[in-house]
Amino acid sequence: MASGIDADWQSLLHQTQDLVTQDHHSFPKVARNIVQLQQYAESLRARTNKFRTLNNQIAATRLLAQQGFDATRLTQDVTALEIQPTIEDVFHADTTSVEDYLKQVEESTLLAAIQEAQQDTVSSFESYMEDCMARDWAANKKQLFGLIAPHSATPGFSAAVASPMLGITRPSASGLPGLPGAPSIQLPPKEQAYVDVIKRANEAAASGNQNFDLVKELGAACKANEDKSHETTMSSCWTLLSDILAEARARGVASSPVNKFAEALVQGARKHLERFHAVHTRNTVLRHKLQAERGADPEQVREVQAYIQVKYGSSGALDFQQPGGHDTSWMQVYFCLRNGWHDAARRAAERTHDVSMARLGEAGFKGLLDEWLRSSGRLSDRSAALLARECERLLRDKAALKGQIRYPYMVLLCALLAGDNRAVDALSATLNSLSVPPVLSTIEDFMWAKLSLVSTTAGLGQQGPSGMGMYSSVSVVPPYTLAELHADLNRWPAAYYSKQGKEPLLYVTVLLLSLQFQEALQFLWKDETTKMYRVDAVHMAIAMHQEQALAVNPGDSGLDIGGMIHSYSRKFVHVDSAVALQYYMLAAVVRGNSIAVKGQMLRELLTESRDFGTLLGGGGALGSAGGALRVYVPDPEERKRLFEAVAYECQVAAQPEEAIELYMAADRPRQALAILNQQLSNVIVGAVDEAVSGISTTAANDTAKHILTRGRDACTKIGPSADAGSRREVEAFEQLNMVWELLLACRKGRHDLALQKLHELSFIPLEKSRVEGCIRAAQQLHPAVQERLQDILSAAADTINAQRAGAGREKLFTLRCELDALCVFANSVPHRVSKLVYQKLCEVAASFS
């Protein structure tokens, strides 16, 4: 079998070899490769299917026509046909049992509901994320713009203020007319009221009135014009600041020593909280008259009992309602103290008959309370230690803390009288752990308790011993300082106190109550949530500095109060320089109020506003006017020194116009005339060119006329009986005036007049006999006149050359003599005359020969 197969393969091999050797030209050739064959086959098959499909459609149409159907109409009807599923199609029943069918329907419904809920959740999440991204982007954009231009959103701050080119004039913010060509600014009512108060405060200070209450006046201006859309208003912050400072004014305490001043401010903050809680107590009783059962008794203890009845009436009968009711004596003492009713608290303390209080001695709690009130919230070390140990014992009784409404108030009162801050914190933590409503339920109650604990005698910047654990053998209660209060409050960010930024003034209130004045100003000035209070921050800073409140807690906030006021004042520079001067001088006061600082501020304001008349006045520093600056620097001699110092700085800094006005205002016309002479010498050639051509390219002609006018004023002010230096400046000015007329006459072709002016110049020799004397006079000339010497000689050459035409022999001889004298003179002062001018003189002289 195997041999047969091999034979077949061998025969096939021989046949193949024979075919290869034979001539195969008669056989057909394949001109396509495999890929091309596949493509050709596909095209043939597509052509066949096309004809087949067409034939099938023709056959179908013929069949439908035989049966009376319109194929086109039938296609349209089938296309418009809508198939609606039935409940069997949706909920396919795999069983015949009703219970199983309902179970399947329920499961399908739940699955569909879950799927729809998932889709809604995804859609809501995506929408929420888009809103968050948009809100974050808007916040970041506002923050970025706030860093680039922090005052761009300040009310009343428009873009027009930055450009002094707007040509609108209207009454200014201070009631004075605005600068010609300066922009106008329409201030919001509250800011306008602030500006008016600052103006009145400056006038009061200038007149020596020490009774002007700036804080109170600014608060009244704010309250009359503020936006009351927020829960906490700016006027409430002004009221708080006024109450805090009122206690120091009432005691007559200054900022030094700081401890006594801080103690007075702490008491002022406490009294503010007590006054407003007393109002809250009365309002609560009035709102719940039936429940309070107040009656007509004017006793303050009865007022507190009515308030307690409203607040705790649901807890059952109270002791003042019926015998055997809940003991409220400790609560009455607390709320009397909380309202600032100290006498009522003493009367209420007489009812505190607690057995545990027998350890406090014969006087009991009433005696300790009386000592605490008489000593401005302080007890002796022994009494404080006794109360502290009593607090520790009371805090161990958690059943009483949870079951008796009086017990937390008893612990709180003992801790307050002992000055034990750790006991107060432990009480709050224990009540929270027992799910008992806190005693200090509001930020106002919390701040009142903390301020009652603060001791300013231990040092403002020193912290007491740390540690929250209770003690049993400590004999002295560690004092609670302002620094520790600040540390406790600053553990949470601003958003914690301001309802996530919705009420930023709540945080400002907390900072003011804790005497963190610089931090409050920094928050108002720089935080994004307080952009609408930037103007309030500036004026609050001014008021705090005047009242020296910033000395209590200097801190390290990095806030530059002077820079804040200065930055705000710049918005008025191009609108009303008098208002701008108010804030510039206030910034100078904050920065030390020295002549150098005031001079720097005045120089900047003069340079940018250029309102010399309003700021410096027309009567000079010693005159009756003195300008707007007279209110802030009332002493004429001091004002004179200030003007001189600023004028010198402007002169050194190449600000001649400002220096001239300041020297004139300071009754220093000689210095002003020296600058004017130099200016006139520099501009005189260009001014003559413009006057002759009539084309003004550099406004040199107008500048020269202005300089001549101011120079005449200075000469008039110097007068005839002046010293040698002043007479030299006057002489130089007169010589420059003649040079101006000489050059102008020469350029206009009026050579007779020009020759006449040459003869009037005493230092120009037109005779050989005067050459030596004129050379000596030229060496002693004013530098401003010496700089124009070559221009004078050049004009003289042109004038003499023009006189030659039509002149007789005698006149030609005279002109030749004058020209020779000028050549000798020019050759003798080579450092003042250029080579070109000397050559010009020589060429004119040669033309005469």
Side-chain angles (χ1 to χ4, degrees):
M1 183 71 180
S3 60
I5 295 173
D6 292 337
D8 292 340
W9 281 108
Q10 290 295 331
S11 62
L12 286 172
L13 180 61
H14 289 306
Q15 291 175 6
T16 304
Q17 291 175 351
D18 293 340
L19 289 172
V20 171
T21 58
Q22 294 176 3
D23 186 12
H24 56 272
H25 292 288
S26 60
F27 293 98
K29 294 182 179 179
V30 179
R32 296 184 178 92
N33 57 22
I34 298 300
V35 177
Q36 292 172 338
L37 286 173
Q38 287 179 348
Q39 293 176 352
Y40 184 66
E42 290 290 340
S43 64
L44 290 176
R45 184 165 56 186
R47 190 186 308 168
T48 305
N49 291 339
K50 179 179 179 181
F51 287 109
R52 185 181 303 166
T53 303
L54 183 60
N55 293 334
N56 291 339
Q57 290 179 352
I58 294 172
T61 303
R62 188 184 303 112
L63 178 61
L64 290 172
Q66 290 176 359
Q67 299 298 326
F69 291 100
D70 185 358
T72 305
R73 177 75 177 274
L74 184 61
T75 302
Q76 293 177 353
D77 293 341
V78 171
T79 304
L81 184 63
E82 182 181 358
I83 301 176
Q84 295 184 353
T86 62
I87 191 169
E88 289 81 6
D89 296 328
V90 179
F91 302 107
H92 181 67
D94 296 333
T95 178
T96 57
S97 172
V98 176
E99 289 79 4
D100 293 341
Y101 174 74
L102 293 176
K103 186 176 181 181
Q104 291 178 5
V105 172
E106 181 182 5
E107 291 176 354
S108 301
T109 304
L110 289 175
L111 290 174
I114 292 172
Q115 187 176 5
E116 291 179 0
Q118 288 177 342
Q119 293 176 353
D120 293 342
T121 302
V122 172
S123 176
S124 299
F125 177 74
E126 291 177 351
S127 176
Y128 174 73
M129 290 305 296
E130 289 179 359
D131 293 340
C132 288
M133 290 179 63
R135 186 169 59 251
D136 292 344
W137 164 240
N140 292 336
K141 184 169 64 174
K142 285 178 62 178
Q143 185 176 7
L144 177 62
F145 288 158
L147 292 174
I148 296 174
H151 316 302
S152 60
T154 304
F157 202 124
S158 62
V161 177
S163 173
M165 302 304 293
L166 301 180
I168 302 174
T169 303
R170 71 171 60 173
S172 63
S174 63
L176 300 175
L179 303 179
S184 61
I185 182 171
Q186 187 65 35
L187 297 179
K190 183 172 73 171
E191 187 174 0
Q192 179 65 64
Y194 279 158
V195 171
D196 294 339
V197 171
I198 293 297
K199 182 179 178 182
R200 288 190 284 114
N202 289 326
E203 292 174 350
S207 62
N209 182 10
Q210 302 295 328
N211 298 323
F212 190 88
D213 192 341
L214 181 60
V215 177
K216 197 171 184 179
E217 293 293 332
L218 288 172
C222 175
K223 188 174 184 179
N225 300 280
E226 73 178 340
D227 178 19
K228 298 181 174 61
S229 58
H230 290 272
E231 178 181 339
T232 307
T233 59
M234 195 65 210
S235 62
S236 64
C237 296
W238 282 111
T239 302
L240 170 58
L241 181 61
S242 178
D243 290 345
I244 291 174
L245 298 172
E247 185 67 19
R249 283 195 293 266
R251 296 185 182 186
V253 179
S255 59
S256 180
V258 179
N259 287 343
K260 291 185 177 180
F261 187 57
E263 181 182 358
L265 297 185
V266 169
Q267 292 296 326
R270 277 184 53 196
K271 288 185 177 181
H272 172 85
L273 293 172
E274 291 168 355
R275 181 164 60 88
F276 275 85
H277 194 272
V279 174
H280 165 70
T281 300
R282 294 190 182 96
N283 292 339
T284 302
V285 172
L286 290 175
R287 284 197 306 270
H288 304 84
K289 290 182 178 180
L290 295 178
Q291 185 179 356
E293 300 178 359
R294 172 67 176 87
D297 190 353
E299 175 64 33
Q300 290 177 335
V301 175
R302 182 67 193 97
E303 186 90 9
V304 169
Q305 290 175 351
Y307 178 75
I308 295 173
Q309 187 169 340
V310 173
K311 192 170 184 178
Y312 292 99
S314 59
S315 301
L318 305 177
D319 57 352
F320 55 82
Q321 290 179 315
Q322 66 180 33
H326 290 291
D327 184 10
T328 62
S329 57
W330 294 96
M331 300 163 66
Q332 293 178 38
V333 175
Y334 168 76
F335 284 114
C336 285
L337 291 176
R338 183 68 181 84
N339 290 345
W341 300 340
H342 296 169
D343 293 337
R346 289 187 179 94
R347 292 191 294 273
E350 296 175 355
R351 305 187 180 94
T352 56
H353 301 295
D354 196 272
V355 178
S356 62
M357 294 294 108
R359 301 182 182 88
L360 302 179
E362 296 181 359
F365 179 78
K366 180 181 179 299
L368 294 178
L369 176 63
D370 188 64
E371 178 186 351
W372 188 76
L373 292 175
R374 282 187 287 102
S375 303
S376 300
R378 293 291 169 266
L379 290 179
S380 63
D381 291 343
R382 178 179 176 280
S383 300
L386 286 174
L387 277 177
R389 284 193 287 270
E390 187 64 22
C391 285
E392 180 186 4
R393 186 191 66 79
L394 294 173
L395 282 170
R396 295 196 192 101
D397 193 354
K398 292 183 172 53
L401 283 171
K402 190 172 184 179
Q404 302 179 27
I405 61 175
R406 70 181 178 91
Y407 214 81
Y409 291 94
M410 184 191 307
V411 178
L412 178 61
L413 285 172
C414 292
L416 291 178
L417 267 63
D420 191 353
N421 177 63
R422 292 178 294 179
V424 174
D425 292 341
L427 173 63
S428 299
T430 304
L431 294 179
N432 186 40
S433 64
L434 297 175
S435 299
V436 177
V439 178
L440 306 175
S441 56
T442 65
I443 186 64
E444 289 83 2
D445 294 338
F446 175 81
M447 289 302 302
W448 178 84
K450 290 292 184 178
L451 290 172
S452 300
L453 296 169
V454 166
S455 173
T456 58
T457 57
L460 295 174
Q462 303 174 357
Q463 294 193 9
S466 59
M468 296 302 295
M470 295 305 296
Y471 48 85
S472 58
S473 59
V474 177
S475 59
V476 178
V477 179
Y480 185 60
T481 64
L482 267 179
E484 290 177 307
L485 173 60
H486 298 164
D488 288 344
L489 294 174
N490 295 333
R491 284 186 295 172
W492 295 279
Y496 174 80
Y497 299 98
S498 61
K499 299 182 180 180
Q500 303 302 319
K502 296 178 181 178
E503 293 290 338
L505 293 182
L506 285 177
Y507 183 53
V508 177
T509 301
V510 173
L511 293 175
L512 293 178
L513 284 171
S514 57
L515 309 189
Q516 298 184 76
F517 298 129
Q518 287 207 16
E519 288 76 5
L521 293 176
Q522 184 178 28
F523 180 72
L524 285 172
W525 182 245
K526 294 186 176 181
D527 196 81
E528 281 297 316
T529 60
T530 58
K531 246 184 178 179
M532 62 185 299
Y533 302 113
R534 298 290 193 256
V535 175
D536 303 276
V538 173
H539 293 87
M540 187 168 284
I542 294 172
M544 286 182 179
H545 183 270
Q546 180 179 344
E547 298 290 340
Q548 301 179 343
L550 299 174
V552 176
N553 181 35
D556 191 20
S557 62
L559 182 64
D560 182 9
I561 304 297
M564 179 196 303
I565 303 171
H566 179 230
S567 176
Y568 173 73
S569 64
R570 292 183 61 83
K571 69 185 290 185
F572 299 104
V573 169
H574 301 293
V575 181
D576 191 339
S577 56
V579 174
L581 181 64
Q582 290 185 157
Y583 293 97
Y584 266 82
M585 290 297 105
L586 288 172
V589 170
V590 173
R591 291 176 173 176
N593 203 28
S594 64
I595 291 290
V597 174
K598 287 192 287 189
Q600 178 185 359
M601 291 292 178
L602 181 59
R603 173 188 165 192
E604 178 184 329
L605 182 57
L606 286 172
T607 303
E608 297 198 17
S609 70
R610 308 191 66 78
D611 188 11
F612 304 112
T614 301
L615 298 175
L616 305 180
L622 302 178
S624 59
L629 193 66
R630 179 176 56 85
V631 178
Y632 313 101
V633 188
D635 183 20
E637 290 299 324
E638 182 182 358
R639 195 158 63 241
K640 176 180 174 181
R641 291 194 299 271
L642 174 62
F643 287 163
E644 282 189 89
V646 179
Y648 178 75
E649 291 180 3
C650 292
Q651 187 176 0
V652 172
Q655 295 174 322
E657 295 185 18
E658 291 81 0
I660 292 168
E661 297 298 335
L662 285 164
Y663 276 132
M664 293 291 286
D667 283 345
R668 290 292 181 265
R670 187 186 74 179
Q671 289 83 346
L673 188 57
I675 301 174
L676 287 168
N677 286 335
Q678 189 61 50
Q679 281 188 309
L680 183 58
S681 176
N682 295 336
V683 80
I684 197 168
V685 176
V688 169
D689 293 339
E690 288 187 4
V692 173
S693 64
I695 302 174
S696 178
T697 56
T698 60
N701 189 27
D702 296 335
T703 303
K705 291 179 179 178
H706 174 71
I707 293 173
L708 290 170
T709 303
R710 295 299 289 155
R712 295 187 192 99
D713 294 340
C715 291
T716 304
K717 208 165 189 178
I718 290 175
S721 58
D723 56 3
S726 299
R727 288 197 302 271
R728 185 167 188 265
E729 295 295 340
V730 172
E731 183 183 6
F733 178 75
E734 293 173 350
Q735 290 171 347
L736 287 171
N737 200 353
M738 286 188 287
V739 171
W740 157 268
E741 295 175 355
L742 165 66
L743 298 180
L744 190 61
C746 181
R747 288 294 306 276
K748 288 184 176 182
R750 301 177 60 185
H751 299 291
D752 293 336
L753 179 60
L755 190 60
Q756 179 183 349
K757 294 298 179 184
L758 272 176
H759 284 277
E760 292 179 6
L761 293 173
S762 59
F763 56 89
I764 298 297
L766 295 178
E767 299 175 1
K768 287 186 179 181
S769 60
R770 295 182 59 241
V771 171
E772 294 298 330
C774 289
I775 291 174
R776 290 192 298 270
Q779 292 175 350
Q780 298 175 0
L781 281 176
H782 193 282
V785 182
Q786 286 181 348
E787 291 176 2
R788 300 277 68 84
L789 193 58
Q790 61 179 2
D791 298 313
I792 297 171
L793 294 176
S794 178
D798 294 336
T799 299
I800 293 174
N801 190 30
Q803 292 285 328
R804 187 181 60 175
R809 180 178 299 179
E810 185 177 353
K811 185 174 183 181
L812 286 175
F813 178 77
T814 304
L815 293 175
R816 176 61 186 267
C817 292
E818 292 177 351
L819 200 57
D820 290 341
L822 291 175
C823 289
V824 174
F825 176 76
N827 190 35
S828 302
V829 284
H831 59 284
R832 296 296 178 187
V833 180
S834 67
K835 185 177 180 180
L836 291 176
V837 173
Y838 182 70
Q839 288 179 352
K840 185 177 181 180
L841 286 169
C842 293
E843 290 173 359
V844 173
S847 66
F848 274 85
S849 62

